[in-house]
Amino acid sequence: MGHSVIIDRTSKYYGDFLAVDHISLTIREGEFFTLLGPSGCGKTTLLRMIAGFNSIETGEIRFDEKVINKVPAHKRDIGMVFQNYAVFPHLTVAENVAYGLKARKVGAEEQKRRVSETLKLVQIEHLADRRPNELSGGQQQRVALARAFVIEPTILLMDEPLSNLDAKLRVEMRTTIRKLQRNLGITTIYVTHDQEEALAISDRIAVMKNGVIMQVGAPEEIYKHPANSFVAGFIGVSNFIGCEVAGGSKNTEAVFEDGFCLKLGHGCAYEGKAILSARPEQLYFGEEGMAGTISLSTFLGDFIQYEVMLAGGQAITVNEYTKDGESMKQPGEKVKIRMDEDAVSLFDQETGEALR
């Protein structure tokens, strides 16, 4: 099993630029934890601080109870998988995988055993004598994984490891990584900007923006209950529709520009201008609802994606499963749109913070 990782009020500056802003996180032993956010949000900087490649200006990072701020990178007992694989072109696959064991002065017989076991683990034992220029991108990524796993680290750090692969191979490799991590029980910290990837593989996710943690939670929690409008917009697809919140502590109503009133069926102390967030699958066509006009219909196999122009000129996206619709709606068709009042999110228009 791995260590827990405690990040306590940790910051990193580049000159006057605050790249990581007093972050506090606890990553549990054996957990697959993902740092997710757009480019420049500080996720890779934080990962490099954990790895020992970046200095820590404030706060501390602990592996279990041990403070590792001043511990050199090569003494932190971590495995690292990079975006560019970083395999040595002049070494065979087996030699690449054995490199970390040699650096740790592991005996020759033990090296041979562990390299063989690890190559089988990542399903490339038949490629042991090949060199990197004879491998596909996915095979090179498996070499990088094997090299990280073979040293039996207590913590595995992965920085955008799948971003150079094509879409189909990314899905295959993320499944491989998740299975390996679960079987080995290594505490894993994974950096990505791909929200679908994060949702698919993580036990928990920290969504970052401008060096700050916006929300931490399980994938389902973050998707269904975003803490603010940034998280709602970054994770998955959301329609943001302006409304006026009325009511009180027991029965809250959201009133839209065209007069449509959605009874939310729960209490909310807030009254005033707000933003309602509804994902395409939380909207459906009905006899009553917001008035709109189909502007684009896209058949995507198991569902049809519609772009609907609302009365005020705003375009929103509605997904209708093929099995639920009698026929495909056409551009120009008038529709009424209802919402799943128990699933939509409501945000303060000024702060962007969730109101429920």
Side-chain angles (χ1 to χ4, degrees):
M1 296 294 285
H3 292 306
S4 62
V5 179
I6 296 94
I7 302 163
D8 188 7
R9 299 170 311 223
T10 299
S11 300
K12 174 65 182 174
Y13 287 87
Y14 291 110
D16 294 332
F17 176 67
L18 183 57
V20 172
D21 188 359
H22 297 85
I23 282 178
S24 292
L25 278 174
T26 297
I27 298 159
R28 302 163 189 150
E29 180 181 331
E31 184 173 35
F32 198 117
F33 191 94
T34 297
L35 300 172
L36 172 68
S39 297
C41 72
K43 56 189 185 296
T44 292
T45 298
L46 180 58
L47 192 80
R48 291 177 62 84
M49 293 165 77
I50 298 167
F53 302 147
N54 284 348
S55 61
I56 300 167
E57 260 101 65
T58 69
E60 62 183 29
I61 297 176
R62 301 191 295 276
F63 292 173
D64 292 334
E65 296 305 316
K66 181 182 179 182
V67 178
I68 53 92
N69 287 37
K70 303 297 183 183
V71 176
H74 67 280
K75 292 185 177 180
R76 294 192 182 190
D77 193 21
I78 59 170
M80 188 93 188
V81 182
F82 298 95
Q83 179 178 351
N84 63 357
Y85 318 141
V87 294
F88 301 116
H90 62 290
L91 301 180
T92 66
V93 166
E95 289 167 343
N96 262 283
V97 175
Y99 184 84
L101 298 176
K102 287 183 178 179
R104 288 163 173 77
K105 301 192 177 353
V106 174
E109 285 303 310
E110 177 68 3
Q111 279 186 43
K112 187 176 179 180
R113 181 188 68 79
R114 284 166 65 173
V115 168
S116 177
E117 288 179 355
T118 307
L119 290 178
K120 287 180 183 177
L121 195 66
V122 298
Q123 300 177 332
I124 54 169
E125 64 270 25
H126 59 293
L127 303 175
D129 297 324
R130 293 194 188 177
R131 296 189 186 276
N133 65 352
E134 301 174 286
L135 305 178
S136 67
Q139 290 167 339
Q140 289 188 49
Q141 187 57 274
R142 287 175 188 267
V143 175
L145 285 171
R147 194 171 56 190
F149 286 131
V150 77
I151 62 173
E152 298 176 355
T154 53
I155 296 168
L156 180 63
L157 306 180
M158 309 184 80
D159 187 10
E160 301 269 12
L162 307 182
S163 60
N164 290 335
L165 304 179
D166 63 55
K168 185 176 180 181
L169 194 52
R170 276 204 306 273
V171 173
E172 179 185 320
M173 284 302 301
R174 78 189 187 199
T175 302
T176 298
I177 288 170
R178 189 65 177 113
K179 286 180 178 178
L180 288 171
Q181 190 272 339
R182 279 189 172 171
N183 290 339
L184 298 173
I186 300 172
T187 304
T188 299
I189 306 173
Y190 189 97
V191 161
T192 184
H193 66 276
D194 186 324
Q195 32 100 4
E196 181 181 309
E197 192 171 285
L199 291 172
I201 62 177
S202 310
D203 291 319
R204 286 191 302 150
I205 299 168
V207 183
M208 294 182 66
K209 177 187 178 185
N210 298 334
V212 175
I213 300 291
M214 305 300 285
Q215 185 175 0
V216 178
E220 185 178 10
E221 176 189 353
I222 285 181
Y223 185 84
K224 290 185 175 180
H225 306 292
N228 51 58
S229 56
F230 173 80
V231 175
F234 191 77
I235 301 285
V237 177
S238 286
N239 298 294
F240 293 100
I241 308 168
C243 62
E244 191 84 22
V245 174
S249 59
K250 291 186 178 179
N251 297 301
T252 303
E253 296 178 345
V255 182
F256 298 92
E257 186 177 358
D258 67 352
F260 171 63
C261 178
L262 178 68
K263 298 183 186 297
L264 294 173
H266 64 85
C268 177
Y270 178 88
E271 290 200 2
K273 293 189 181 299
I275 299 292
L276 184 137
S277 168
R279 300 193 182 278
E281 68 272 17
Q282 294 167 351
L283 301 174
Y284 54 94
F285 300 111
E287 297 298 320
E288 298 178 350
M290 282 191 300
T293 304
I294 302 290
S295 55
L296 185 66
S297 306
T298 306
F299 181 78
L300 295 171
D302 58 342
F303 70 94
I304 302 168
Q305 186 174 85
Y306 294 102
E307 181 184 83
V308 180
M309 196 67 66
L310 299 181
Q314 179 182 354
I316 63 171
T317 301
V318 181
N319 289 348
E320 182 179 55
Y321 281 99
T322 310
K323 64 181 179 63
D324 296 332
E326 293 181 3
S327 61
M328 188 166 169
K329 295 175 175 57
Q330 298 302 316
E333 189 172 336
K334 302 294 183 183
V335 293
K336 293 289 182 69
I337 298 168
R338 295 196 59 80
M339 304 177 186
D340 183 346
E341 63 271 10
D342 294 322
V344 298
S345 298
L346 205 58
F347 303 105
D348 185 308
Q349 190 180 62
E350 290 189 9
T351 66
E353 295 302 307
L355 296 174
R356 58 176 254 186

